[in-house]
Amino acid sequence: GTGPRPWRRSPALPSAPAFDRTAEELRGHVRRLGAERVAELLMVRIEDLGPLLEGRVGVARSAMAKLRRAA
């Protein structure tokens, strides 16, 4: 169907507070390590960093732990 999908967040909705904190931390890692290195450590495509840095999606704890160890 083409109707609304309740399991998907609307782009108009604000991000969850936990995602905001993670996004803030990720932006700091990008400033220190660079976007390419952060994407590599998180094992995501560089194009996928946008939603992460905006706080629209979350990151696995294990991926964040790996990123923190590299910093």
Side-chain angles (χ1 to χ4, degrees), residues 28-40:
H29 289 299
V30 167
R31 281 191 295 274
R32 282 189 297 285
L33 302 172
E36 289 181 8
R37 179 69 175 142
V38 170
E40 178 185 334

Side-chain angles (χ1 to χ4, degrees), residues 49-61:
L49 280 182
L52 293 170
L53 296 172
E54 293 169 0
R56 292 189 293 149
V57 296
V59 179
R61 283 188 212 166

Side-chain angles (χ1 to χ4, degrees), residues 1-66:
T2 59
R5 297 180 179 131
W7 63 88
R8 292 187 132 185
R9 291 178 56 89
S10 166
L13 293 176
S15 59
F19 288 178
D20 285 339
R21 286 189 299 274
T22 302
E24 185 177 333
E25 182 180 351
L26 281 173
R27 287 190 293 271
H29 289 299
V30 167
R31 281 191 295 274
R32 282 189 297 285
L33 302 172
E36 289 181 8
R37 179 69 175 142
V38 170
E40 178 185 334
L41 289 166
L42 293 177
M43 297 176 56
V44 299
R45 296 176 304 170
I46 193 132
E47 302 87 40
D48 296 332
L49 280 182
L52 293 170
L53 296 172
E54 293 169 0
R56 292 189 293 149
V57 296
V59 179
R61 283 188 212 166
S62 59
M64 285 303 294
K66 184 177 181 181

